[in-house]
């Protein structure tokens, strides 16, 4: 019996969503244009990648998108998921309600955290300009267009000029519990000049009776001399199809770190672009994935240098067990005016089983001289000599491989600048190794379990000391 | 007092027979030196004892205290009390010495009730052995064998030996690639650990390490068989005369 298509991605659906949220006309038009793009765009625009579309292909009509009708009671929704000690958390349950709990420092700092529709009502001019010059463009990618047309949840985070929040992580939790509709959400991060933000997003599932879709758009606008850390940890269950589009616009002398730790979901399709728009902008990306079973990971990450003196690095590392598959596509683009820029892009994967498969396609597109750019990619099997060495010291084959895998992730994990993500990632990856779905926990509880001192961050300056594939 | 017995051991690497009937018995507390020319099968014996998957035993047996371990995977052999100090210790990037040693210590010292040692027990043992061997604390935060000098690698092997307290240790050319000072440090380390509870099989090309660790017996492995056994004077004779006389004696054509 064929599945009954429940998702009808029509103009009527857009109008229904838009009127349920009482949106202004400009937003309805934006959604309608996005729907056109969604319908017309192929899965891959670049001819380089068209033959790899199979890995994350799925039938979107299996899923429906509606305005949230259920009223989620966050207290019962999150029962068992919070210790009660959390501060500075944004709670989202499926596609409804954002509960924000800020401590005194953050609430008095001028930081603004709003549900996206509240933000549109409150600061319509600013939001309209952000939608007119959307970072995640509908014309750029099919599922970016999908999200822009059908988003039914969202968060707007605004750090005013000169407000430094680097030391006060702001967490956003999304907990999926039998969602009646797809969760299509946007997180718009707007950090003004000389400000800083440390944002950490976690995606979990507590229950799912049926397959579901989660689509996230994350936009980071880092103004001049600002500093933004935006990390996410995706630990949803295997009924999830997860689509994520992240776009960073880094202005003059800004510094942006993006971390993605991807462990959950059946299908993950991730698109991450760093636009280094201002002179002296500096970005670093960390992507870690660990998949097993029949999981499929499709990642594309690009470093786009549009100004002189920009520096970017992207470290992607994945481990694949059983029949899982991944593809990583990445391009360094250095525009003709982006002289004196440096760029580094690396993808390394380790296969643990014969049925696992991973491809890496890094590329360079450089239009100017006086730049440094390098990429590296490798896909390797687990080293049998390492396994033997560890087994000769009494470790079981499983423990030996686990240790090699954690070690393989270490060069990337140890560089993650966000304390909670850096310390928690190893704990969570180990959990996945043992078939447990763990959650991020605070430093004290973590140390009590592992007995190890937390890992101090290693600074990544040495990545550029390697040899260069391209130097001009 | 346990015994490690190697009985008429035949082993192959990639279909080629390397060990052609090795017989050897080592008691706890004894030090045996195994010498022999290149290609005689010394390292093959070491790997075969620990169960490297590339080395296939075609006949014969390996026993610890009368129990055959020849069907055991390497981890079970380690837990049975066998240790190999590698000639070329393997680098495992990203894994700190601390986490590796703790995992190894826990695996080998887990008691009958399946209760691993506590973190404090491990730390105490580690500090004691590091002090004994003069190993600097900074070692613990380094990645396993990554960027280690030849001497550091061998010292790390001896530290593992001290911490895991096996009944029998095979030292596979632990003296190779070391300058005289490093050799002395490593050899002194082994002497500190050796005692009534440890049987040692030192595989070496040279007599020089045996100046520091006095062997009870010296054996010569030649073309996959032990062709001569004796006391320390045998190693001196080999040092002086080489292996040529053995060739004549055994009539092996190589």
């Amino acid at each position: 019996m064929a599945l009954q298509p429940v998702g009808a991605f029509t103009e009527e659906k857009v109008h229904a969503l838009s009127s349920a949220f009482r949106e202004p006309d400009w937003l309805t038009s934006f959604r309608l244009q996005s729907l056109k793009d969604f319908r017309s765009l192929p899965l891959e625009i670049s001819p380089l990648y068209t033959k790899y579309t199979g890995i994350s292909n799925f039938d979107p009509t299996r899923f429906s998108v509606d305005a949230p009708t259920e009223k989620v009671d966050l207290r019962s929704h999150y029962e068992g998921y919070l210790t009660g000690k959390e501060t500075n958390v944004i709670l989202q349950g499926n596609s409804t309600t954002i509960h924000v709990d800020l401590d005194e420092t953050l609430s008095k700092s001028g930081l603004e955290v709003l549900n996206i529709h509240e933000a549109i009502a409150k600061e319509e001019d600013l939001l309209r300009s952000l939608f007119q010059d959307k970072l995640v463009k509908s014309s750029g990618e099919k599922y970016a267009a999908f999200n822009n047309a059908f988003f039914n949840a969202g968060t707007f985070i605004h750090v005013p000029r000169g407000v430094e929040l680097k030391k006060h992580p702001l967490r956003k939790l999304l907990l999926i519990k039998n969602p009646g509709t797809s969760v299509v959400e946007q997180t718009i991060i707007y950090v003004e000049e000389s400000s800083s933000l440390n944002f950490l997003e976690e995606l979990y599932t507590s229950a799912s009776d049926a397959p579901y879709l989660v689509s996230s758009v994350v936009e980071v606008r880092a103004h001049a001399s600002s500093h933004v850390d935006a990390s996410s940890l995706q630990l949803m269950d295997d009924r999830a199809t997860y689509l994520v589009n992240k776009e960073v616009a880094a202005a003059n002398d800004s510094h942006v770190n993006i971390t993605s730790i991807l462990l959950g979901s059946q299908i993950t399709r991730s698109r991450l672009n760093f636009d280094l728009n201002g002179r002296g902008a500096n970005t670093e990306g960390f992507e870690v994935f660990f998949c097993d079973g029949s999981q499929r990971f499709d990642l594309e990450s690009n470093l786009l240098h549009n100004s002189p003196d920009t520096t970017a690095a992207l470290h992607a590392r994945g481990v694949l067990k059983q029949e899982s598959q991944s593809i990583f596509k990445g391009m360094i683009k250095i525009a003709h005016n982006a002289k004196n820029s440096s760029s580094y892009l690396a993808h390394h994967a380790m296969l643990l089983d014969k049925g696992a498969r991973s491809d890496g396609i890094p590329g360079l597109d450089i239009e100017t001289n006086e730049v440094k750019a390098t990429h590296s990619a490798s896909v390797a099997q687990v080293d049998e000599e390492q396994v033997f060495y560890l087994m000769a010291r009494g470790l079981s084959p499983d423990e030996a491989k686990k240790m090699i895998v954690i070690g393989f992730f270490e060069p990337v994990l140890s560089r993650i600048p966000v304390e909670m993500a850096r310390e928690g990632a190893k704990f969570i990856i180990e959990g996945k190794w043992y078939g447990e779905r763990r959650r991020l926990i605070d430093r004290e509880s973590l140390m009590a379990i592992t007995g190890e001192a937390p890992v101090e961050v290693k600074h990544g300056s040495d990545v550029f000391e390697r040899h260069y594939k391209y130097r001009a | 007092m346990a015994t490690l017995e190697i009985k008429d051991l035949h082993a192959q690497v990639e279909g080629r027979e390397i060990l052609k009937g090795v017989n050897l018995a080592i008691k706890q507390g004894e030090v045996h030196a195994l010498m022999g020319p290149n290609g005689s099968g010394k390292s093959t014996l070491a790997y075969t004892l620990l169960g490297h998957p590339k080395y296939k035993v075609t006949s014969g047996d390996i026993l610890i205290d009368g129990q055959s371990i020849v069907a055991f995977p390497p981890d079970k052999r380690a837990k049975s009390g066998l240790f190999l100090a590698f000639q070329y210790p393997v680098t495992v990037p990203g894994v700190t010495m601390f986490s590796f040693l703790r995992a190894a210590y826990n695996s080998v010292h887990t008691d009958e009730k399946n209760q691993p040692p506590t973190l404090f027990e491990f730390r105490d043992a580690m500090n004691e052995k590091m002090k004994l061997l003069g190993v600097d604390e900074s070692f613990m935060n380094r990645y396993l064998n990554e960027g280690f000098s030849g001497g550091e690698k061998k010292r790390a092997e001896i530290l593992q030996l001290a911490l895991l307290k096996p009944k029998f240790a095979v030292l596979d050319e632990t003296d190779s690639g070391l300058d005289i000072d490093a050799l002395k440090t490593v050899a002194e380390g082994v002497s500190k650990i050796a005692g009534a509870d440890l049987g040692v099989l030192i595989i070496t090309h040279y007599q020089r390490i045996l100046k520091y660790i006095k062997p009870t017996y010296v054996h010569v492995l030649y073309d996959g068989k032990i062709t001569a056994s004796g006391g320390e004077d045998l190693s001196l004779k080999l040092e002086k005369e080489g292996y040529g006389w053995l060739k004549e004696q055994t009539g092996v054509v190589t």
Side-chain angles (χ1 to χ4, degrees):
Chain A
M1 192 182 73
L3 272 171
Q4 191 68 30
V6 285
F9 301 117
T10 58
E11 277 89 354
E12 288 70 34
K13 184 67 97 181
V14 167
H15 282 292
L17 268 171
S18 210
S19 65
F21 289 119
R22 299 195 182 101
E23 289 175 352
D25 290 345
W26 58 263
L27 190 50
T28 313
S29 313
F30 172 83
R31 286 183 184 268
L32 288 168
Q33 180 55 45
S34 300
L35 174 63
K36 278 186 192 152
D37 289 325
F38 171 60
R39 283 178 174 161
S40 63
L41 283 171
L43 279 169
E44 287 290 357
I45 296 172
S46 166
L48 282 174
Y49 304 145
T50 43
K51 72 173 193 183
Y52 299 98
T53 52
I55 190 163
S56 63
N57 202 4
F58 68 98
D59 178 9
T61 61
R62 288 168 68 198
F63 303 104
S64 68
V65 186
D66 293 297
T69 46
E70 47 167 351
K71 263 271 178 254
V72 169
D73 171 24
L74 285 168
R75 199 175 293 271
S76 63
H77 190 89
Y78 270 92
E79 209 182 318
Y81 270 76
L82 297 174
T83 60
K85 280 192 284 181
E86 292 86 357
T87 50
N88 302 329
V89 283
I90 303 165
L91 300 181
Q92 183 179 337
N94 298 339
S95 59
T96 43
T97 333
I98 293 170
H99 172 80
V100 184
D101 181 12
L102 301 180
D103 70 8
E104 212 182 317
T105 318
L106 256 66
S107 55
K108 283 187 177 163
S109 67
L111 167 74
E112 211 174 15
V113 180
L114 295 169
N115 173 311
I116 198 158
H117 287 99
E118 281 169 24
I120 290 165
K122 206 175 155 190
E123 294 177 56
E124 189 172 347
D125 290 346
L126 174 60
L127 269 292
R128 181 166 53 198
S129 73
L130 296 180
F131 271 87
Q132 271 164 359
D133 177 30
K134 200 84 169 75
L135 290 183
V136 173
K137 288 193 170 33
S138 300
S139 58
E141 206 267 326
K142 191 175 183 70
Y143 285 101
F146 172 80
N147 189 303
N148 282 336
F150 296 106
F151 67 90
N152 57 10
T155 313
F156 177 62
I157 299 168
H158 181 185
V159 187
R161 191 176 170 136
V163 174
E164 295 232 32
L165 303 175
K166 215 185 328 191
K167 294 198 178 95
H168 308 272
L170 176 66
R171 288 167 77 187
K172 176 181 167 244
L173 304 184
L174 166 59
L175 183 63
I176 298 291
K177 194 173 186 178
N178 289 324
T181 162
S182 299
V183 177
V184 185
E185 51 139 26
Q186 302 219 347
T187 303
I188 298 178
I189 297 172
Y190 187 76
V191 179
E192 291 197 51
E193 203 174 318
S194 307
S195 299
S196 67
L197 176 71
N198 182 353
F199 175 73
L200 172 60
E201 168 194 48
E202 298 155 57
L203 296 88
Y204 303 115
T205 308
S206 65
S208 64
D209 291 340
Y212 56 94
L213 178 76
V214 174
S215 164
S216 292
V217 156
V218 178
E219 298 186 350
V220 176
R221 251 175 239 265
H223 287 86
S225 305
S226 64
H227 181 117
V228 183
D229 290 316
S231 317
S232 42
L233 176 69
Q234 196 269 96
L235 274 165
M236 292 185 293
D237 72 2
D238 59 8
R239 288 210 165 94
T241 295
Y242 176 58
L243 313 171
V244 57
N245 291 78
K246 294 184 184 179
E247 192 99 15
V248 172
N252 294 3
D253 299 316
S254 64
H255 185 91
V256 181
N257 294 312
I258 299 287
T259 301
S260 299
I261 298 163
L262 302 166
L263 302 177
S265 80
Q266 176 58 33
I267 290 175
T268 291
R269 181 180 163 103
S270 160
R271 299 293 180 264
L272 168 61
N273 288 323
F274 290 91
D275 304 296
L276 294 108
N277 296 333
R279 185 167 203 149
N282 177 328
T283 65
E284 199 157 6
F286 308 89
E287 294 186 283
V288 171
F289 57 96
F290 175 29
C291 39
D292 60 13
S294 58
Q295 283 186 293
R296 299 281 181 275
F297 281 60
D298 175 349
L299 277 62
E300 181 185 333
S301 304
N302 299 309
L303 306 175
L304 312 163
H305 297 258
N306 304 319
S307 273
D309 305 315
T310 51
T311 310
L314 186 110
H315 318 265
R317 247 169 217 244
V319 171
L320 298 98
K321 269 177 110 168
Q322 292 152 344
E323 318 269 286
S324 58
Q325 290 185 24
S326 75
I327 176 135
F328 175 86
K329 296 156 276 187
M331 188 71 92
I332 294 173
K333 281 190 186 171
I334 303 185
H336 70 277
N337 66 329
K339 286 197 188 331
N340 196 28
S341 288
S342 321
S343 204
Y344 173 84
L345 182 124
H347 167 255
H348 298 287
M350 186 187 277
L351 307 177
L352 294 180
D353 293 298
K354 282 206 173 79
R357 194 193 152 93
S358 176
D359 287 297
I361 319 168
L364 290 172
D365 179 359
I366 292 168
E367 294 175 359
T368 184
N369 295 325
E370 298 160 52
V371 299
K372 288 199 289 186
T374 186
H375 59 58
S376 69
S378 71
V379 177
Q381 314 279 337
V382 65
D383 183 340
E384 288 303 327
E385 294 302 320
Q386 290 178 345
V387 176
F388 173 66
Y389 185 75
L390 298 176
M391 285 181 74
R393 298 297 180 252
L395 275 70
S396 70
D398 195 60
E399 281 292 314
K401 282 183 189 166
K402 188 206 84 186
M403 190 156 260
I404 293 165
V405 163
I406 298 292
F408 178 74
F409 281 127
E410 179 72 12
V412 173
L413 294 184
S414 63
R415 280 198 172 84
I416 296 174
V418 178
E419 188 181 280
M420 203 164 176
R422 179 177 65 252
E423 294 171 357
K426 190 174 146 188
F427 174 70
I428 282 164
I429 290 171
E430 275 182 338
K432 176 153 179 172
W433 184 274
Y434 296 125
E436 293 167 21
R437 279 197 293 137
R438 293 178 178 170
R439 300 197 295 272
L440 276 194
I441 52 175
D442 60 89
R443 185 177 242 200
E444 265 174 41
S445 321
L446 186 63
M447 274 177 75
I449 295 170
T450 64
E452 277 186 63
V455 208
E456 292 308 318
V457 66
K458 284 204 176 92
H459 292 286
S461 56
D462 63 328
V463 294
F464 290 105
E465 287 162 18
R466 304 180 192 193
H467 79 278
Y468 284 87
K469 292 234 166 115
Y470 181 93
R471 199 196 278 266
Chain B
M1 198 56 57
T3 309
L4 169 67
E5 289 173 276
I6 302 165
K7 285 187 173 167
D8 193 28
L9 190 67
H10 291 251
Q12 291 184 345
V13 183
E14 285 154 6
R16 238 180 84 224
E17 185 169 54
I18 308 284
L19 300 184
K20 301 171 180 174
V22 176
N23 286 290
L24 197 61
I26 301 171
K27 289 198 179 83
Q28 273 180 295
E30 292 177 350
V31 176
H32 292 238
L34 184 71
M35 303 182 76
N38 288 330
S40 58
K42 300 189 300 298
S43 286
T44 297
L45 179 63
Y47 281 126
T48 306
L49 287 175
L50 260 293
H52 190 294
K54 261 195 201 159
Y55 298 77
K56 302 254 182 294
V57 172
T58 48
S59 67
D61 210 348
I62 305 164
L63 306 109
I64 289 181
D65 242 0
Q67 195 198 6
S68 173
I69 61 162
V70 84
F72 286 3
D75 52 327
K76 223 175 152 189
R77 297 185 193 209
K79 287 177 186 171
S80 306
L82 196 55
F83 180 91
L84 170 63
F86 282 64
Q87 182 180 2
Y88 303 110
V90 177
T91 300
V92 188
V95 174
T96 59
M97 280 299 282
F98 179 88
S99 56
F100 162 67
L101 289 176
R102 189 175 177 209
Y105 189 80
N106 283 1
S107 307
V108 169
H109 295 298
T110 293
D111 64 18
E112 296 83 25
K113 287 178 202 149
N114 222 11
Q115 205 58 38
T118 65
L119 180 64
F120 299 104
E121 288 166 348
F122 167 68
R123 277 195 187 277
D124 281 353
M126 190 181 74
N127 290 338
E128 184 206 319
K129 300 305 179 193
M130 288 201 312
K131 213 184 247 176
L132 178 75
L133 300 173
V135 174
D136 194 76
E137 254 182 67
S138 64
F139 230 60
M140 289 302 125
N141 300 322
R142 293 174 66 183
Y143 293 152
L144 183 50
N145 294 321
E146 194 175 63
F148 282 26
S149 71
E152 285 175 330
K153 279 186 187 169
K154 299 298 166 78
R155 275 169 81 179
E157 293 291 292
I158 303 308
L159 176 64
Q160 293 170 45
L161 166 60
L163 210 50
L164 300 183
K165 287 192 185 158
K167 292 175 187 156
F168 300 97
V170 181
L171 311 183
D172 187 10
E173 302 204 18
T174 295
D175 52 345
S176 71
L178 297 185
D179 61 38
I180 272 295
D181 292 338
L183 174 72
K184 220 177 140 186
T185 318
V186 167
E188 280 169 4
V190 176
S191 306
K192 282 177 190 163
I193 298 160
D197 295 334
L198 182 67
V200 183
L201 179 64
I202 302 181
I203 295 174
T204 181
H205 269 296
Y206 305 105
Q207 208 269 330
R208 56 179 196 172
I209 193 172
L210 304 178
K211 278 187 210 155
Y212 305 99
I213 311 165
K214 293 284 176 203
T216 334
Y217 301 100
V218 175
H219 311 277
V220 178
L221 189 69
Y222 197 91
D223 192 34
K225 275 184 183 170
I226 289 179
T227 54
S229 293
E232 210 190 335
D233 46 330
L234 179 58
S235 68
L236 295 168
K237 181 177 168 141
L238 291 169
E239 185 85 349
K240 225 188 282 169
E241 300 178 22
Y243 296 101
W245 59 277
L246 277 165
K247 192 173 166 183
E248 285 156 32
Q249 193 181 309
T250 53
V252 175
V253 183
T254 48

